[in-house]
Amino acid sequence: MNEVPAQNSLQSESEAALSEAALSDDARKRVAELIEEEEGTHNRYTGVLAVLLTLAAVVMSLFHLYAAVEIVPAFRLRPIHVAFALTLVFLLFPIAKRFRNRLMWWDVLLAAATVGVAGYILYWGDLLGDRATIPTTVDQVVGVVLILLILEGNRRSSTWILPFIVTLFLAYALFGPYLPEPWTHKGYEIARLTGALYMTLEGIFGVAVDVSSTLIILFTIFGAFLQFSGAGKFFLDFSFAAMGGKPSSAGRAVVMSSFLLGGPSGSGVATTVTIGAVAYPLLQKAGYGKEAAGGLLAAGGLGAILSPPVLGAAAFLIAEFLRISYLDVILMATIPTILFYLAIFIMVEIDARKFNMHAVALEKHQRAWELAKRYWYHFVSLVSIVVFLLMGYSPVLSVFYATLVTAALSFIRRDSAMIPYDWFRGRMPWIRGLWESRFIKALEGGSVGVLNVAMTCASAGIIVGVVTLTGLGLKFSSIVLNYADSGAQGLVSFWTFFGVANTPELLKDMTLLLTAFYTSLIVWIVGLAVPVTASYIICAVVAAPAMIKLGVPDFAAHMFIFYYAVLSEVSPPTALSPFAAAAITGGGPYRTTLQCWKYTAPAFLLPFMFVLDPSGVGLLLDGSFKNLATADWGSIALVTFTAAAGIVALAGGLQGWLLRKTNILERWMLVIAGLMLVYPTATFDAIGFGLAIAVVVMQKLWPGKIAPA
């Protein structure tokens, strides 16, 4: 087929952010490569083919909006969702870069095979599940084809790593009898495996695809409506206008805009690119170096994955795995999100003093009050989801109505209207005016933006199915606990040497500490290879049972795993947000990654507070709105205060600066104080506060010479 120019409006949120970014050609090219590394290489088409693909994406969004208000049975909705996503992936993502922007015959063949498999599943409907234990030969063939299509779709839309991991899990299911202890199991034939993976609402069409086909795609549509209505630009301008006039203003503006933009986006790279294009010149003028500026931008972008209401799509998965309300997940994320941004904010304030930064005039932005008066309705769009949830609507209906509210409010001003005013007045061609409107672009962007996540969820569903079928989760948790028990004995001996009483409680605490440490390493290592969504799903079914066995509340264990899945986003070789920030600033990518670690490290010790002591779950507000009435608010306030104090102490220790530059003794005292305060026990809190106060007194009594670093 003929090659066509690379001009098509189909783009993800990250690509839309890049298209609006004021970057040099080299920086734009490098950032585009990083976005492709995360989201896959897109084809660009023109003419009839572009129209057809845009139409398919729009129909996909409209179908899911329809499914939000009308009952579509799960055994129909989930296969249709996967079929839509697979078909668009095969048509939009080339098999290899050298075939980019050309629709090849094999792409059409794979898309047709997807439609055929979906048609077969829909034809049999819920009757397919009745013969899941004894599938026919045709059932098995269709199942194998579907698995292969998903693996290829995932490879195209991201990288080969996740499909490779899925293949290892499938091999584990097939060749269990040939594995050494303790991994051995009886093994499962193709018939049993395909029956479990696609013929029921488990496996491929299980929890992950359920969430992708309902909440995730609706939130990507909502985010696209926010973007195309101009809300993103407003949040950015408002943040810079509100934070002007002080040496730390540029850094503060990055923190604030990251929170406003990142919450509904859930994309670290998109948030980093959008803010970085505007903020880097200001950070440079304020006195930030290339790597420090890039690290701050990446840290702010990382907050997008941790912030309500989306949490990088994991909020919906956590709710489904735990069978709790989505509003409860938002509640649990509230205090940790505040503390995460507090950590960055403290780092910014220390930067201003440490590097003797100066105020930067933000004259090109209007005053915050003027912007708020003109575009106040964007704030309404942002909080409307929570309002609908509090009114008692389901999460699906809440995001649906929030999308309608965003679309309706956009018409308050001509420059934000989703459909041009002239279209209503008959001053432009009816079909063309609608087709080129922001409304169509938002529907299109919502579908394109979910493709990568949909493929990840389908692949993760295969892993979950294998883990459930083989009992791997229980085996794995037993192995982790055995290692933790062995290590705990050594730690108990260490503490006993220093006079601490050897008690069963001490052994239990040391076992839990090591289990949490091992789990964090496992999640981190898995996250180096696969996206946050996939690493959370894999570790939720494999690693969470170990901590739950030791008495950790299930919601705390899942939040712990989620936070360390996010940590992998700032760890090479998958540190895409820092690498994108480095491409914008021109700094070294690995130095930028280290700077990002500096800004985020204090907040990433917080998850240990969730699991090491019962009082630590106070940071998660006890996991439910139902518990708020009986919650011990004094304990919640205390653990939040100690966590905040620990963050400040760690920030000072890592920066080597508190009231002034610290000496080596003061620096280590602050680091130890931060670690003590993060461990939620009265004894360690007392030690931590004592050390921190001692450093403050030392710096007050001997202020020394305060010179910029």
Side-chain angles (χ1 to χ4, degrees), residues 57 64 88 137 155 158 230 236 263 277 436 462 539 571 666 672:
H64 284 86
L88 284 174
T137 302
R155 185 195 66 82
S158 55
L236 195 58
E436 295 178 353
I462 298 174
C539 296
S571 304
E666 292 168 342
I672 294 171

Side-chain angles (χ1 to χ4, degrees), residues 145-320:
V145 170
L146 176 60
I147 291 171
L148 293 175
L149 289 171
I150 289 173
L151 293 178
E152 171 60 10
N154 203 317
R155 185 195 66 82
R156 291 192 182 201
S157 62
S158 55
T159 65
W160 58 269
I161 299 175
L162 182 56
F164 175 72
I165 292 174
V166 173
T167 303
L168 291 180
F169 273 88
L170 290 170
Y172 174 77
L174 290 169
F175 303 112
Y178 306 103
L179 298 173
E181 290 288 350
W183 305 102
T184 186
H185 61 87
K186 68 176 185 178
Y188 295 89
E189 298 178 348
I190 294 291
R192 184 74 178 92
L193 200 55
T194 54
L197 291 182
Y198 93 99
M199 296 179 71
T200 64
L201 293 181
E202 303 294 335
I204 294 171
F205 301 120
V207 171
V209 166
D210 175 31
V211 173
S212 176
S213 64
T214 52
L215 286 167
I216 294 178
I217 187 168
L218 291 176
F219 264 94
T220 59
I221 295 170
F222 172 66
F225 271 78
L226 277 177
Q227 174 193 330
F228 284 101
S229 67
K233 183 178 184 303
F234 163 70
F235 294 146
L236 195 58
D237 290 344
F238 178 81
S239 299
F240 280 91
M243 293 295 174
K246 295 183 179 180
S248 58
S249 293
R252 288 181 179 182
V254 169
V255 177
M256 183 176 180
S257 56
S258 297
F259 173 72
L260 291 174
L261 283 172
S265 162
S267 171
V269 173
T271 304
T272 300
V273 171
T274 303
I275 297 172
V278 176
Y280 175 58
L282 300 173
L283 293 171
Q284 195 174 30
K285 289 179 183 177
Y288 278 87
K290 293 179 180 179
E291 283 83 14
L296 177 58
L297 291 168
L302 192 69
I305 312 176
L306 296 170
S307 301
V310 178
L311 276 72
F316 322 120
L317 292 164
I318 294 171
E320 285 296 320

Side-chain angles (χ1 to χ4, degrees), residues 286-469:
Y288 278 87
K290 293 179 180 179
E291 283 83 14
L296 177 58
L297 291 168
L302 192 69
I305 312 176
L306 296 170
S307 301
V310 178
L311 276 72
F316 322 120
L317 292 164
I318 294 171
E320 285 296 320
F321 273 118
L322 298 178
R323 302 296 181 190
I324 61 175
S325 163
Y326 164 65
L327 197 58
D328 287 340
V329 180
I330 293 180
L331 179 75
M332 288 192 292
T334 300
I335 292 178
T337 299
I338 293 171
L339 292 174
F340 176 83
Y341 283 105
L342 172 66
I344 304 178
F345 185 84
I346 294 298
M347 288 289 195
V348 165
E349 293 299 319
I350 293 176
D351 279 342
R353 291 157 178 78
K354 181 178 179 180
F355 299 109
N356 195 25
M357 293 180 178
H358 48 272
V360 178
L362 306 177
E363 64 278 356
K364 71 174 185 175
H365 296 283
Q366 302 177 51
R367 288 187 296 179
W369 174 243
E370 294 176 353
L371 284 169
K373 279 200 305 183
R374 294 180 64 189
Y375 297 103
W376 57 269
Y377 50 90
H378 289 313
F379 285 120
V380 176
S381 299
L382 191 63
V383 302
S384 57
I385 293 174
V386 177
V387 172
F388 283 119
L389 286 169
L390 292 174
M391 290 171 61
Y393 290 94
S394 69
V396 170
L397 282 177
S398 294
V399 67
F400 173 80
Y401 288 129
T403 304
L404 294 186
V405 167
T406 301
L409 291 177
S410 73
F411 291 101
I412 290 178
R413 291 186 58 84
R414 177 186 293 270
D415 58 347
S416 64
M418 297 299 292
I419 299 176
Y421 284 6
D422 289 344
W423 184 83
F424 293 100
R425 296 169 180 169
R427 296 178 182 174
M428 59 172 56
W430 189 81
I431 295 179
R432 182 178 178 182
L434 179 63
W435 185 252
E436 295 178 353
S437 69
R438 297 173 178 176
F439 177 75
I440 294 297
K441 293 183 187 302
L443 291 174
E444 172 192 313
S447 291
V448 175
V450 84
L451 296 181
N452 179 275
V453 178
M455 290 296 93
T456 298
C457 287
S459 295
I462 298 174
I463 293 174
V464 172
V466 169
V467 170
T468 303
L469 191 64

Side-chain angles (χ1 to χ4, degrees), residues 493-612:
S493 300
F494 173 80
W495 286 112
T496 303
F497 177 79
F498 286 98
V500 178
N502 186 352
T503 64
E505 289 75 16
L506 179 62
L507 178 61
K508 180 181 177 183
D509 289 345
M510 293 302 100
T511 302
L512 180 55
L513 174 62
L514 285 178
T515 300
F517 177 70
Y518 292 154
T519 302
S520 67
L521 286 180
I522 292 165
V523 179
W524 178 54
I525 292 169
V526 171
L528 294 178
V530 299
V532 171
T533 306
S535 59
Y536 165 72
I537 294 172
I538 294 169
C539 296
V541 297
V542 172
M547 286 193 290
I548 295 172
K549 275 186 178 181
L550 291 174
V552 175
D554 55 0
F555 62 87
H558 279 257
M559 288 297 286
F560 179 91
I561 287 171
F562 165 64
Y563 263 73
Y564 276 94
V566 174
L567 179 60
S568 64
E569 282 288 296
V570 291
S571 304
T574 57
L576 296 181
S577 291
F579 284 14
I584 293 171
T585 65
Y590 291 100
R591 288 185 178 181
T592 300
T593 303
L594 289 175
Q595 289 290 324
C596 184
W597 267 80
K598 179 191 76 174
Y599 284 109
T600 58
F604 277 112
L605 289 173
L606 284 177
F608 279 93
M609 296 186 74
F610 304 163
V611 300
L612 294 183

